[in-house]
Amino acid sequence: MISITEKNLKISESTNSFLSFKLNEEHFALPVMKIKEILEVPKITKVPHSPNFLKGVINLKGAVLPVIDGRVKFGMSPLEFTVDTCILVLNVDVNGEDVAVGALVDSVSEVFEIEENKIHPSPTIGTQYRADFIQGMIKEDDRFMMLLNIDKVFSSSELDSIVETKIDNNI
Amino acid sequence: MIEEKSKKIYIEEANELLISLESSLLVLEDDPTDNSNIELVFRVMHTLKGNSSMFGVAVVSEFVHDLETIYDKIRTGTLELTKEILDSTLVSLDHLKIIIQDTTLENAENKENHYRLIKQNNALIDNETTSIKSEPILNSEEQLNSFHIYFAPSITILKNGFNVLYLLSELSEIGKTSVLPFIKQLNELTEFDPIDCICSWDIIIETTQTSKEILDLFVFVKEDAKIEINELKCVDLVSNKEFKKIIEESFYQEEKIELSEILQHAKTFGKSIEIKKTEEVLALPLSKNDDHKKKSKKKSVTSIRVSSDKLDELMNLVSELVTTQAGLSLFSEKNKIQELEGVTENVEKLTRRLRDISFGMTLLPINTMFLRFQRMVRDTSDVLGKEVDFITEGGDTELDKTIIETLTDPLMHVIRNSLDHGIETREERLKKGKTAKGKLLLKAYYSGVFVYIQIIDDGKGMDPAVIRSKAIENGLITEEDHLSEKEIFNLIFYPGFSTASVVTDVSGRGVGMDVVKQNITDLKGTILVESKLNEGTSLTIKLPLTLSIIDGLLIDLDGVKYIVPVSVITKCYEVQNEDMCNNFNKLLLLDGEQVPFINLREEFGYKKLDTGYSQLIVVSDEENSVGISVDFIVGQYQAVIKPLGSYFRKQDFVSGATILGDGSIALVLDTHKIIELYVEQIKTEV
């Protein structure tokens, strides 16, 4: 675990570029380094009996890429497709292994740079998200953006636990 | 000093040679008179010696030289192969494995061992027995002689790809021949298969070769034909035109000329014929030397070294080619251009062949792994003082090399466990009324898109009660937990669980089974334990063939495409949706048989259809057949199976995905899981 946070720190040290995007009406940000590419939404093949936040799989240059509904992952209502909807292809570190995963988001806003010291520590209370999902808060103009700890959000154990509760519900 | 790179090659090759040596020696242990294996051992040692001196590793080459001398003596019969020699050789092999890394004997312990073993081996060399075989008499006279050869190939020889005419022309190259063919009675023309071989031949040949040399010509057909060679002590039969004419006239169209008849005719020409010996060759094993020749001939072209990176790249390219080809097929189908269709068909054929060949290349027979265990079982059972028969089955089952590598350690662990905790000592076994020798079976086989590996012993088995109380003690479960037998056995895979009260050298620290399970899970496989007290334990590992291309049936279900592996399909039917909806038994009457079915639309949460037709595909595993209903069948499809990734680890019904010609994705159905689900449903309903 320590190694992962260290790695993240190193990445954010080496580059302060972030990409901001919207889920529902909320703003989130990710280090640009973590993003492989941004896609328009192709045909998604739904996998039966999969947890509801997993939207399905797509063909990414000959490889099978799982696609996650970012909204459902964060406890919002499922995403509705618009012209702005797109897939962020992310490089996630799952137990030391590089895994590619696609995340559906409502829209992508911009790429910006910010000084390290402008990133505020995440508040321990007052957010409905798990504290370890959020790496920090970025204040831009008058609004707050949540900087995501992407490895944590998409880590395998995290998925497993969600899958398990889902199966329990089914029974 | 050897360069780093060549040193690596040397070590790799030496290790391979040592492994093959080891396996041959273990066979010799069971049957010390197996001459072909002694030959093999000697040859491998010789190669190893040669390699070592080529790379300048004098320590190894000198050491192997002594071993080679021992086996040379055994080979020629001046030394008898004793257990002492075998033991010493095996220890020497272990030593060799070490010193090929430490070629200058820097390690003091290695050095000591080295000289001790050299002494030991030298002592063995001098220990000659008196059973000296007489020198083989060499017949170097180049004398003209005549032979009568009867050659009757089996009816299928042409189907096996052998051209009999070549053989006959080869015969005529070594001497003058008179060839008399015989054609057996033909069947009705309608039943006649043009590639059946219905001929047999009588050949009289005049040559300077010996009968053994003639026999060598037949070496490739000996399994497929009846061959008899009779030496006629007569010089110039074939050159004698009149004799030839008479023989040819009187025996034309007669199967197998009797020797006495040839004699008779020869006599009329005043030739004194005496038949020296009659050699029946049918099913006669070839003499040692022939065997040697045949094998070394094969050896020289068996394999070349290719880096695994290149192979991986080839695999990826072939996979992409298959996908691209699917796109081309789709395009040609749409456009209906005749020329294009022809080309597409050819590309498809070539792709399929290329696919088969390249996938065959990266697969290794599981035997490579089994051989390593043989030695381990021998040593471990020695240490434990137990007698064990180690049997392997299905060694030719092929698996991806990376899977084999990952599997070796877990399997090693399981086998060790079986030997240590499973199989009892001789006394215990006899008391229980079992055979004195324990049995350990290692078995591998394919089923559908899975490969199964089983380890079965006939030892003392596991007691669920003991495991249960141990698990309670360790806090894994509580007194109140009621577990089925299956669940109890599954407890052994939890970290820190061990029922052995004594920790032995071999196993029993309770670290291990959890690692085994982890390794298997990493390969997306499952592991199942079954055990009966005092009867034995069986452990079944089931692995998906991840990196593979399968022939599948492309089907459509509510607009989503799925692939069903053709290998599991028994039949397809068309059924009315109405019949499926109002069906409480979940049974359909098809071809006079009741077929249980699963409505996939229902199962996968799509909208149920109650009118129109569906296709029912009947799939089966070893025990059960279940029909699965789909909207319609699109057609056959070569599917490159790609893993769904760790996100879908809990996903039961889909074992992978494949990319279709139009770039969209089809999911590969795991029919075994669907059958399992069906069986479970039946159980819960009962």
Side-chain angles (χ1 to χ4, degrees), chain A residues 43 45-50 54 57-59 62-64 66 68 99 101 154 159 163-164, chain B residues 559-560 562 603-604 606 642-644 646-648 650-651 653-654 657 659 663-665 667:
Chain A
K43 190 183 171 212
T45 306
K46 173 99 185 123
V47 179
H49 285 246
S50 53
L54 273 172
V57 286
I58 60 163
N59 168 13
V64 177
I68 283 167
V99 177
V101 60
F154 292 108
L159 283 168
V163 176
E164 261 157 7
Chain B
V560 183
Y562 291 90
E603 199 52 54
F604 288 173
Y606 300 129
K642 309 219 167 184
L644 278 180
S646 52
Y647 285 91
F648 294 96
K650 293 269 155 96
Q651 168 57 47
F653 299 113
V654 177
I659 290 162
S664 65
I665 287 184
L667 303 168

mmCIF file of all heavy atoms in Angstrom, chain A residues 43 45-50 54 57-59 62-64 66 68 99 101 154 159 163-164, chain B residues 559-560 562 603-604 606 642-644 646-648 650-651 653-654 657 659 663-665 667:
data_model
loop_
_atom_site.group_PDB
_atom_site.id
_atom_site.type_symbol
_atom_site.label_atom_id
_atom_site.label_comp_id
_atom_site.label_asym_id
_atom_site.label_seq_id
_atom_site.Cartn_x
_atom_site.Cartn_y
_atom_site.Cartn_z
ATOM 1 N N LYS A 43 -19.681 0.831 -29.717
ATOM 2 C CA LYS A 43 -20.685 -0.140 -29.292
ATOM 3 C C LYS A 43 -20.154 -0.902 -28.075
ATOM 4 O O LYS A 43 -19.073 -1.475 -28.125
ATOM 5 C CB LYS A 43 -20.965 -1.106 -30.438
ATOM 6 C CG LYS A 43 -22.149 -1.983 -30.157
ATOM 7 C CD LYS A 43 -22.371 -2.979 -31.261
ATOM 8 C CE LYS A 43 -23.431 -3.979 -30.802
ATOM 9 N NZ LYS A 43 -23.241 -5.290 -31.331
ATOM 10 N N THR A 45 -20.452 -3.951 -25.488
ATOM 11 C CA THR A 45 -21.065 -5.267 -25.314
ATOM 12 C C THR A 45 -21.281 -5.523 -23.834
ATOM 13 O O THR A 45 -20.325 -5.562 -23.059
ATOM 14 C CB THR A 45 -20.156 -6.365 -25.896
ATOM 15 O OG1 THR A 45 -19.854 -6.031 -27.243
ATOM 16 C CG2 THR A 45 -20.839 -7.713 -25.849
ATOM 17 N N LYS A 46 -22.540 -5.673 -23.488
ATOM 18 C CA LYS A 46 -22.867 -5.886 -22.076
ATOM 19 C C LYS A 46 -22.548 -7.334 -21.699
ATOM 20 O O LYS A 46 -22.847 -8.257 -22.440
ATOM 21 C CB LYS A 46 -24.356 -5.597 -21.888
ATOM 22 C CG LYS A 46 -24.912 -5.923 -20.533
ATOM 23 C CD LYS A 46 -25.009 -4.695 -19.658
ATOM 24 C CE LYS A 46 -25.468 -5.043 -18.238
ATOM 25 N NZ LYS A 46 -24.546 -4.620 -17.202
ATOM 26 N N VAL A 47 -21.916 -7.494 -20.572
ATOM 27 C CA VAL A 47 -21.614 -8.836 -20.091
ATOM 28 C C VAL A 47 -22.686 -9.237 -19.082
ATOM 29 O O VAL A 47 -22.892 -8.518 -18.109
ATOM 30 C CB VAL A 47 -20.226 -8.889 -19.430
ATOM 31 C CG1 VAL A 47 -19.921 -10.278 -18.912
ATOM 32 C CG2 VAL A 47 -19.164 -8.452 -20.418
ATOM 33 N N PRO A 48 -23.391 -10.333 -19.328
ATOM 34 C CA PRO A 48 -24.453 -10.713 -18.398
ATOM 35 C C PRO A 48 -23.905 -11.058 -17.017
ATOM 36 O O PRO A 48 -22.750 -11.453 -16.903
ATOM 37 C CB PRO A 48 -25.079 -11.950 -19.049
ATOM 38 C CG PRO A 48 -24.031 -12.486 -19.944
ATOM 39 C CD PRO A 48 -23.236 -11.310 -20.404
ATOM 40 N N HIS A 49 -24.740 -10.879 -16.023
ATOM 41 C CA HIS A 49 -24.392 -11.221 -14.641
ATOM 42 C C HIS A 49 -23.188 -10.449 -14.132
ATOM 43 O O HIS A 49 -22.454 -10.956 -13.295
ATOM 44 C CB HIS A 49 -24.096 -12.713 -14.488
ATOM 45 C CG HIS A 49 -25.336 -13.545 -14.518
ATOM 46 N ND1 HIS A 49 -25.780 -14.245 -13.440
ATOM 47 C CD2 HIS A 49 -26.242 -13.765 -15.479
ATOM 48 C CE1 HIS A 49 -26.889 -14.874 -13.756
ATOM 49 N NE2 HIS A 49 -27.194 -14.594 -14.992
ATOM 50 N N SER A 50 -22.954 -9.257 -14.652
ATOM 51 C CA SER A 50 -21.834 -8.505 -14.115
ATOM 52 C C SER A 50 -22.396 -7.410 -13.209
ATOM 53 O O SER A 50 -23.542 -7.016 -13.351
ATOM 54 C CB SER A 50 -20.992 -7.920 -15.249
ATOM 55 O OG SER A 50 -21.792 -7.199 -16.132
ATOM 56 N N LEU A 54 -20.292 -2.071 -13.966
ATOM 57 C CA LEU A 54 -19.558 -2.499 -15.158
ATOM 58 C C LEU A 54 -20.494 -2.433 -16.355
ATOM 59 O O LEU A 54 -21.445 -3.197 -16.449
ATOM 60 C CB LEU A 54 -19.039 -3.926 -14.972
ATOM 61 C CG LEU A 54 -17.681 -4.085 -14.302
ATOM 62 C CD1 LEU A 54 -17.391 -5.537 -14.018
ATOM 63 C CD2 LEU A 54 -16.567 -3.482 -15.143
ATOM 64 N N VAL A 57 -17.913 -4.411 -22.229
ATOM 65 C CA VAL A 57 -16.562 -4.409 -22.787
ATOM 66 C C VAL A 57 -16.577 -3.784 -24.180
ATOM 67 O O VAL A 57 -17.582 -3.836 -24.885
ATOM 68 C CB VAL A 57 -15.973 -5.831 -22.873
ATOM 69 C CG1 VAL A 57 -15.585 -6.351 -21.518
ATOM 70 C CG2 VAL A 57 -16.933 -6.784 -23.551
ATOM 71 N N ILE A 58 -15.460 -3.172 -24.558
ATOM 72 C CA ILE A 58 -15.330 -2.649 -25.913
ATOM 73 C C ILE A 58 -14.023 -3.158 -26.524
ATOM 74 O O ILE A 58 -13.156 -3.676 -25.816
ATOM 75 C CB ILE A 58 -15.343 -1.104 -25.963
ATOM 76 C CG1 ILE A 58 -14.184 -0.533 -25.143
ATOM 77 C CG2 ILE A 58 -16.680 -0.561 -25.512
ATOM 78 C CD1 ILE A 58 -13.884 0.906 -25.451
ATOM 79 N N ASN A 59 -13.937 -3.003 -27.823
ATOM 80 C CA ASN A 59 -12.737 -3.385 -28.541
ATOM 81 C C ASN A 59 -11.825 -2.179 -28.647
ATOM 82 O O ASN A 59 -12.122 -1.209 -29.324
ATOM 83 C CB ASN A 59 -13.155 -3.877 -29.936
ATOM 84 C CG ASN A 59 -11.993 -4.026 -30.890
ATOM 85 O OD1 ASN A 59 -10.836 -3.992 -30.483
ATOM 86 N ND2 ASN A 59 -12.322 -4.205 -32.157
ATOM 87 N N GLY A 62 -8.032 -4.062 -30.761
ATOM 88 C CA GLY A 62 -7.787 -5.502 -30.715
ATOM 89 C C GLY A 62 -7.746 -6.102 -29.330
ATOM 90 O O GLY A 62 -7.687 -7.302 -29.189
ATOM 91 N N ALA A 63 -7.775 -5.257 -28.300
ATOM 92 C CA ALA A 63 -7.800 -5.803 -26.947
ATOM 93 C C ALA A 63 -9.185 -5.575 -26.352
ATOM 94 O O ALA A 63 -9.925 -4.708 -26.804
ATOM 95 C CB ALA A 63 -6.740 -5.132 -26.086
ATOM 96 N N VAL A 64 -9.506 -6.366 -25.364
ATOM 97 C CA VAL A 64 -10.813 -6.224 -24.726
ATOM 98 C C VAL A 64 -10.672 -5.288 -23.530
ATOM 99 O O VAL A 64 -9.878 -5.538 -22.633
ATOM 100 C CB VAL A 64 -11.342 -7.594 -24.265
ATOM 101 C CG1 VAL A 64 -12.659 -7.445 -23.545
ATOM 102 C CG2 VAL A 64 -11.489 -8.516 -25.461
ATOM 103 N N PRO A 66 -12.526 -3.408 -20.388
ATOM 104 C CA PRO A 66 -13.734 -3.284 -19.572
ATOM 105 C C PRO A 66 -14.112 -1.802 -19.407
ATOM 106 O O PRO A 66 -13.232 -0.952 -19.295
ATOM 107 C CB PRO A 66 -13.326 -3.892 -18.228
ATOM 108 C CG PRO A 66 -11.852 -3.834 -18.201
ATOM 109 C CD PRO A 66 -11.367 -3.842 -19.619
ATOM 110 N N ILE A 68 -16.384 1.003 -17.287
ATOM 111 C CA ILE A 68 -17.080 1.230 -16.021
ATOM 112 C C ILE A 68 -17.921 2.496 -16.118
ATOM 113 O O ILE A 68 -17.480 3.492 -16.699
ATOM 114 C CB ILE A 68 -16.032 1.349 -14.891
ATOM 115 C CG1 ILE A 68 -15.512 -0.046 -14.535
ATOM 116 C CG2 ILE A 68 -16.598 2.039 -13.670
ATOM 117 C CD1 ILE A 68 -14.295 -0.047 -13.695
ATOM 118 N N VAL A 99 -3.152 -2.205 -15.451
ATOM 119 C CA VAL A 99 -4.378 -2.694 -16.074
ATOM 120 C C VAL A 99 -5.054 -1.511 -16.760
ATOM 121 O O VAL A 99 -5.115 -0.415 -16.206
ATOM 122 C CB VAL A 99 -5.334 -3.298 -15.017
ATOM 123 C CG1 VAL A 99 -6.628 -3.731 -15.668
ATOM 124 C CG2 VAL A 99 -4.676 -4.460 -14.320
ATOM 125 N N VAL A 101 -8.385 0.287 -18.141
ATOM 126 C CA VAL A 101 -9.815 0.241 -17.893
ATOM 127 C C VAL A 101 -10.441 1.512 -18.470
ATOM 128 O O VAL A 101 -9.805 2.566 -18.494
ATOM 129 C CB VAL A 101 -10.102 0.073 -16.378
ATOM 130 C CG1 VAL A 101 -9.531 1.206 -15.569
ATOM 131 C CG2 VAL A 101 -11.578 -0.075 -16.121
ATOM 132 N N PHE A 154 -10.160 1.994 -8.592
ATOM 133 C CA PHE A 154 -10.343 0.847 -9.479
ATOM 134 C C PHE A 154 -9.566 -0.389 -9.040
ATOM 135 O O PHE A 154 -9.426 -1.330 -9.801
ATOM 136 C CB PHE A 154 -9.922 1.222 -10.908
ATOM 137 C CG PHE A 154 -10.852 2.215 -11.521
ATOM 138 C CD1 PHE A 154 -10.465 3.529 -11.720
ATOM 139 C CD2 PHE A 154 -12.139 1.833 -11.875
ATOM 140 C CE1 PHE A 154 -11.319 4.444 -12.282
ATOM 141 C CE2 PHE A 154 -12.995 2.753 -12.436
ATOM 142 C CZ PHE A 154 -12.591 4.063 -12.636
ATOM 143 N N LEU A 159 -13.113 -3.751 -6.262
ATOM 144 C CA LEU A 159 -14.141 -4.271 -7.161
ATOM 145 C C LEU A 159 -14.752 -5.544 -6.611
ATOM 146 O O LEU A 159 -15.948 -5.726 -6.611
ATOM 147 C CB LEU A 159 -13.528 -4.575 -8.524
ATOM 148 C CG LEU A 159 -13.279 -3.370 -9.397
ATOM 149 C CD1 LEU A 159 -12.425 -3.760 -10.568
ATOM 150 C CD2 LEU A 159 -14.587 -2.788 -9.863
ATOM 151 N N VAL A 163 -18.585 -6.440 -6.008
ATOM 152 C CA VAL A 163 -19.207 -7.562 -6.702
ATOM 153 C C VAL A 163 -19.877 -8.486 -5.708
ATOM 154 O O VAL A 163 -20.990 -8.939 -5.902
ATOM 155 C CB VAL A 163 -18.149 -8.336 -7.518
ATOM 156 C CG1 VAL A 163 -18.774 -9.555 -8.159
ATOM 157 C CG2 VAL A 163 -17.563 -7.443 -8.577
ATOM 158 N N GLU A 164 -19.185 -8.724 -4.607
ATOM 159 C CA GLU A 164 -19.731 -9.657 -3.634
ATOM 160 C C GLU A 164 -21.051 -9.168 -3.053
ATOM 161 O O GLU A 164 -22.016 -9.926 -2.972
ATOM 162 C CB GLU A 164 -18.719 -9.896 -2.516
ATOM 163 C CG GLU A 164 -17.951 -11.178 -2.742
ATOM 164 C CD GLU A 164 -16.622 -11.176 -2.027
ATOM 165 O OE1 GLU A 164 -16.360 -10.227 -1.238
ATOM 166 O OE2 GLU A 164 -15.853 -12.102 -2.268
ATOM 167 N N GLY B 559 -29.487 -9.197 -29.700
ATOM 168 C CA GLY B 559 -28.554 -8.249 -30.303
ATOM 169 C C GLY B 559 -27.124 -8.392 -29.829
ATOM 170 O O GLY B 559 -26.225 -7.786 -30.398
ATOM 171 N N VAL B 560 -26.898 -9.170 -28.773
ATOM 172 C CA VAL B 560 -25.537 -9.387 -28.302
ATOM 173 C C VAL B 560 -25.033 -10.704 -28.888
ATOM 174 O O VAL B 560 -25.752 -11.689 -28.934
ATOM 175 C CB VAL B 560 -25.492 -9.443 -26.760
ATOM 176 C CG1 VAL B 560 -24.059 -9.604 -26.284
ATOM 177 C CG2 VAL B 560 -26.109 -8.191 -26.169
ATOM 178 N N TYR B 562 -22.686 -14.003 -29.044
ATOM 179 C CA TYR B 562 -21.957 -14.921 -28.178
ATOM 180 C C TYR B 562 -21.317 -16.004 -29.031
ATOM 181 O O TYR B 562 -21.740 -16.260 -30.145
ATOM 182 C CB TYR B 562 -22.903 -15.596 -27.179
ATOM 183 C CG TYR B 562 -23.444 -14.658 -26.133
ATOM 184 C CD1 TYR B 562 -24.624 -13.959 -26.355
ATOM 185 C CD2 TYR B 562 -22.790 -14.491 -24.924
ATOM 186 C CE1 TYR B 562 -25.128 -13.094 -25.395
ATOM 187 C CE2 TYR B 562 -23.289 -13.638 -23.961
ATOM 188 C CZ TYR B 562 -24.463 -12.937 -24.203
ATOM 189 O OH TYR B 562 -24.949 -12.093 -23.251
ATOM 190 N N GLU B 603 -32.140 -16.178 -18.143
ATOM 191 C CA GLU B 603 -30.969 -16.283 -17.284
ATOM 192 C C GLU B 603 -30.138 -15.000 -17.315
ATOM 193 O O GLU B 603 -29.618 -14.556 -16.302
ATOM 194 C CB GLU B 603 -30.115 -17.472 -17.768
ATOM 195 C CG GLU B 603 -29.140 -18.002 -16.783
ATOM 196 C CD GLU B 603 -29.791 -18.309 -15.445
ATOM 197 O OE1 GLU B 603 -30.797 -19.059 -15.418
ATOM 198 O OE2 GLU B 603 -29.307 -17.771 -14.449
ATOM 199 N N PHE B 604 -29.991 -14.392 -18.469
ATOM 200 C CA PHE B 604 -29.157 -13.207 -18.600
ATOM 201 C C PHE B 604 -29.941 -11.914 -18.399
ATOM 202 O O PHE B 604 -29.436 -10.822 -18.615
ATOM 203 C CB PHE B 604 -28.478 -13.187 -19.978
ATOM 204 C CG PHE B 604 -27.389 -14.217 -20.111
ATOM 205 C CD1 PHE B 604 -26.765 -14.437 -21.330
ATOM 206 C CD2 PHE B 604 -26.968 -14.954 -19.009
ATOM 207 C CE1 PHE B 604 -25.760 -15.383 -21.444
ATOM 208 C CE2 PHE B 604 -25.975 -15.902 -19.115
ATOM 209 C CZ PHE B 604 -25.365 -16.121 -20.349
ATOM 210 N N TYR B 606 -32.587 -10.710 -20.079
ATOM 211 C CA TYR B 606 -33.178 -10.021 -21.216
ATOM 212 C C TYR B 606 -34.682 -10.246 -21.190
ATOM 213 O O TYR B 606 -35.185 -11.091 -20.445
ATOM 214 C CB TYR B 606 -32.628 -10.548 -22.539
ATOM 215 C CG TYR B 606 -31.132 -10.402 -22.691
ATOM 216 C CD1 TYR B 606 -30.347 -11.473 -23.055
ATOM 217 C CD2 TYR B 606 -30.515 -9.162 -22.490
ATOM 218 C CE1 TYR B 606 -28.979 -11.354 -23.206
ATOM 219 C CE2 TYR B 606 -29.147 -9.030 -22.639
ATOM 220 C CZ TYR B 606 -28.383 -10.130 -22.997
ATOM 221 O OH TYR B 606 -27.035 -9.998 -23.143
ATOM 222 N N LYS B 642 -9.846 -13.822 -25.979
ATOM 223 C CA LYS B 642 -9.084 -12.846 -25.198
ATOM 224 C C LYS B 642 -9.659 -12.826 -23.797
ATOM 225 O O LYS B 642 -10.873 -12.937 -23.629
ATOM 226 C CB LYS B 642 -9.224 -11.463 -25.821
ATOM 227 C CG LYS B 642 -8.922 -11.492 -27.292
ATOM 228 C CD LYS B 642 -8.176 -10.285 -27.726
ATOM 229 C CE LYS B 642 -7.652 -10.533 -29.107
ATOM 230 N NZ LYS B 642 -6.837 -9.504 -29.645
ATOM 231 N N PRO B 643 -8.806 -12.690 -22.819
ATOM 232 C CA PRO B 643 -9.320 -12.671 -21.444
ATOM 233 C C PRO B 643 -10.158 -11.422 -21.197
ATOM 234 O O PRO B 643 -9.901 -10.366 -21.779
ATOM 235 C CB PRO B 643 -8.053 -12.666 -20.599
ATOM 236 C CG PRO B 643 -6.982 -12.150 -21.507
ATOM 237 C CD PRO B 643 -7.354 -12.560 -22.893
ATOM 238 N N LEU B 644 -11.137 -11.559 -20.337
ATOM 239 C CA LEU B 644 -11.963 -10.399 -19.985
ATOM 240 C C LEU B 644 -11.256 -9.520 -18.964
ATOM 241 O O LEU B 644 -11.635 -8.389 -18.758
ATOM 242 C CB LEU B 644 -13.291 -10.864 -19.393
ATOM 243 C CG LEU B 644 -14.367 -11.255 -20.397
ATOM 244 C CD1 LEU B 644 -15.610 -11.682 -19.664
ATOM 245 C CD2 LEU B 644 -14.690 -10.098 -21.323
ATOM 246 N N SER B 646 -9.235 -8.912 -15.029
ATOM 247 C CA SER B 646 -9.511 -9.177 -13.617
ATOM 248 C C SER B 646 -10.846 -8.603 -13.161
ATOM 249 O O SER B 646 -11.392 -9.041 -12.157
ATOM 250 C CB SER B 646 -8.380 -8.619 -12.772
ATOM 251 O OG SER B 646 -8.171 -7.270 -13.113
ATOM 252 N N TYR B 647 -11.364 -7.629 -13.897
ATOM 253 C CA TYR B 647 -12.627 -7.027 -13.461
ATOM 254 C C TYR B 647 -13.777 -8.019 -13.515
ATOM 255 O O TYR B 647 -14.773 -7.868 -12.841
ATOM 256 C CB TYR B 647 -12.974 -5.816 -14.330
ATOM 257 C CG TYR B 647 -12.121 -4.642 -13.989
ATOM 258 C CD1 TYR B 647 -10.928 -4.427 -14.650
ATOM 259 C CD2 TYR B 647 -12.496 -3.757 -12.981
ATOM 260 C CE1 TYR B 647 -10.117 -3.374 -14.319
ATOM 261 C CE2 TYR B 647 -11.693 -2.694 -12.639
ATOM 262 C CZ TYR B 647 -10.495 -2.514 -13.311
ATOM 263 O OH TYR B 647 -9.709 -1.475 -12.969
ATOM 264 N N PHE B 648 -13.626 -9.015 -14.359
ATOM 265 C CA PHE B 648 -14.732 -9.963 -14.511
ATOM 266 C C PHE B 648 -14.388 -11.315 -13.893
ATOM 267 O O PHE B 648 -14.876 -12.341 -14.308
ATOM 268 C CB PHE B 648 -15.074 -10.143 -15.992
ATOM 269 C CG PHE B 648 -15.613 -8.894 -16.607
ATOM 270 C CD1 PHE B 648 -14.778 -8.043 -17.307
ATOM 271 C CD2 PHE B 648 -16.951 -8.556 -16.478
ATOM 272 C CE1 PHE B 648 -15.265 -6.876 -17.868
ATOM 273 C CE2 PHE B 648 -17.438 -7.397 -17.043
ATOM 274 C CZ PHE B 648 -16.602 -6.550 -17.734
ATOM 275 N N LYS B 650 -15.232 -12.609 -11.216
ATOM 276 C CA LYS B 650 -16.373 -13.287 -10.609
ATOM 277 C C LYS B 650 -17.414 -13.672 -11.652
ATOM 278 O O LYS B 650 -18.472 -14.189 -11.325
ATOM 279 C CB LYS B 650 -17.013 -12.362 -9.558
ATOM 280 C CG LYS B 650 -16.119 -12.108 -8.373
ATOM 281 C CD LYS B 650 -16.367 -13.121 -7.276
ATOM 282 C CE LYS B 650 -15.147 -13.280 -6.409
ATOM 283 N NZ LYS B 650 -15.144 -12.488 -5.213
ATOM 284 N N GLN B 651 -17.137 -13.330 -12.882
ATOM 285 C CA GLN B 651 -18.081 -13.591 -13.954
ATOM 286 C C GLN B 651 -18.112 -15.083 -14.292
ATOM 287 O O GLN B 651 -17.105 -15.669 -14.630
ATOM 288 C CB GLN B 651 -17.640 -12.770 -15.178
ATOM 289 C CG GLN B 651 -18.319 -13.117 -16.436
ATOM 290 C CD GLN B 651 -19.797 -12.986 -16.295
ATOM 291 O OE1 GLN B 651 -20.288 -11.996 -15.778
ATOM 292 N NE2 GLN B 651 -20.517 -14.002 -16.716
ATOM 293 N N PHE B 653 -20.460 -16.975 -16.468
ATOM 294 C CA PHE B 653 -20.929 -17.612 -17.700
ATOM 295 C C PHE B 653 -20.087 -17.302 -18.921
ATOM 296 O O PHE B 653 -20.282 -17.871 -19.965
ATOM 297 C CB PHE B 653 -22.373 -17.201 -17.983
ATOM 298 C CG PHE B 653 -23.280 -17.633 -16.884
ATOM 299 C CD1 PHE B 653 -23.902 -16.719 -16.077
ATOM 300 C CD2 PHE B 653 -23.471 -18.975 -16.664
ATOM 301 C CE1 PHE B 653 -24.707 -17.136 -15.054
ATOM 302 C CE2 PHE B 653 -24.281 -19.399 -15.644
ATOM 303 C CZ PHE B 653 -24.907 -18.475 -14.828
ATOM 304 N N VAL B 654 -19.179 -16.358 -18.762
ATOM 305 C CA VAL B 654 -18.391 -15.955 -19.915
ATOM 306 C C VAL B 654 -16.929 -16.254 -19.621
ATOM 307 O O VAL B 654 -16.398 -15.824 -18.612
ATOM 308 C CB VAL B 654 -18.589 -14.460 -20.196
ATOM 309 C CG1 VAL B 654 -17.724 -14.027 -21.347
ATOM 310 C CG2 VAL B 654 -20.040 -14.164 -20.481
ATOM 311 N N ALA B 657 -13.607 -13.241 -24.404
ATOM 312 C CA ALA B 657 -14.283 -12.468 -25.436
ATOM 313 C C ALA B 657 -13.497 -12.612 -26.725
ATOM 314 O O ALA B 657 -12.348 -13.036 -26.716
ATOM 315 C CB ALA B 657 -14.365 -11.008 -25.026
ATOM 316 N N ILE B 659 -13.032 -10.712 -30.851
ATOM 317 C CA ILE B 659 -13.377 -9.548 -31.659
ATOM 318 C C ILE B 659 -13.873 -10.015 -33.022
ATOM 319 O O ILE B 659 -13.221 -10.811 -33.693
ATOM 320 C CB ILE B 659 -12.178 -8.602 -31.763
ATOM 321 C CG1 ILE B 659 -11.981 -7.976 -30.378
ATOM 322 C CG2 ILE B 659 -12.421 -7.527 -32.796
ATOM 323 C CD1 ILE B 659 -10.668 -7.362 -30.155
ATOM 324 N N GLY B 663 -15.416 -5.481 -35.819
ATOM 325 C CA GLY B 663 -14.795 -4.741 -34.736
ATOM 326 C C GLY B 663 -15.557 -4.806 -33.432
ATOM 327 O O GLY B 663 -15.058 -4.359 -32.401
ATOM 328 N N SER B 664 -16.785 -5.343 -33.452
ATOM 329 C CA SER B 664 -17.515 -5.437 -32.192
ATOM 330 C C SER B 664 -17.062 -6.692 -31.446
ATOM 331 O O SER B 664 -16.305 -7.498 -31.963
ATOM 332 C CB SER B 664 -19.016 -5.477 -32.458
ATOM 333 O OG SER B 664 -19.346 -6.640 -33.156
ATOM 334 N N ILE B 665 -17.563 -6.830 -30.236
ATOM 335 C CA ILE B 665 -17.072 -7.913 -29.380
ATOM 336 C C ILE B 665 -18.141 -8.975 -29.185
ATOM 337 O O ILE B 665 -19.312 -8.663 -29.011
ATOM 338 C CB ILE B 665 -16.623 -7.341 -28.014
ATOM 339 C CG1 ILE B 665 -15.309 -6.595 -28.200
ATOM 340 C CG2 ILE B 665 -16.483 -8.419 -26.961
ATOM 341 C CD1 ILE B 665 -14.714 -6.071 -26.938
ATOM 342 N N LEU B 667 -18.977 -12.461 -26.809
ATOM 343 C CA LEU B 667 -18.547 -13.090 -25.566
ATOM 344 C C LEU B 667 -18.544 -14.604 -25.733
ATOM 345 O O LEU B 667 -19.434 -15.169 -26.356
ATOM 346 C CB LEU B 667 -19.494 -12.691 -24.431
ATOM 347 C CG LEU B 667 -19.619 -11.183 -24.219
ATOM 348 C CD1 LEU B 667 -20.771 -10.864 -23.296
ATOM 349 C CD2 LEU B 667 -18.321 -10.618 -23.670
#
